[in-house]
Amino acid sequence: MTAAESDAAIDDIIAKAWGDEAFRARLLADPAAVLRDEGVDLPVGALVQVLEDTATVQTLVLPTRPWDLVEDALEGAAGVLSAVCYDSFMQGP
């Protein structure tokens, strides 16, 4: 599965969880199994956590640092990412 296919599958999983309470409960209880069942490739032993935003709880995900980027590129990427993440974070659920 390509990264684009994985992203699309995760979008579908989120939409399904919004519309199907039983699926949402299963996703929260055993996210790795649900992702695998829906065709998302996960590394062996990967721990997957699903956190649900609410009106009073917002989640900020700190991604893994892309070690292959040079410092100048990281600074530029951080500016763009922080703006996107901040906008999304401030809009809330």
Side-chain angles (χ1 to χ4, degrees):
M1 175 176 278
T2 67
E5 291 169 333
S6 181
D7 289 346
I10 290 171
D11 289 346
D12 291 345
I13 290 166
I14 292 169
K16 188 173 180 179
W18 285 338
D20 182 338
E21 185 62 32
F23 182 81
R24 180 184 153 282
R26 194 170 141 247
L27 178 63
L28 288 167
D30 193 358
V34 171
L35 291 174
R36 285 189 183 100
D37 289 349
E38 296 293 319
V40 176
D41 295 328
L42 296 174
V44 174
L47 171 64
V48 179
Q49 295 178 330
V50 174
L51 304 174
E52 188 172 22
D53 287 345
T54 68
T56 58
V57 175
Q58 298 292 301
T59 305
L60 174 65
V61 175
L62 181 61
T64 304
R65 178 184 174 179
W67 290 103
D68 56 339
L69 293 179
V70 295
E71 284 300 316
D72 290 343
L74 277 174
E75 288 176 16
V80 171
L81 288 174
S82 63
V84 170
C85 292
Y86 177 79
D87 288 347
S88 176
F89 185 77
M90 294 308 291
Q91 288 176 3

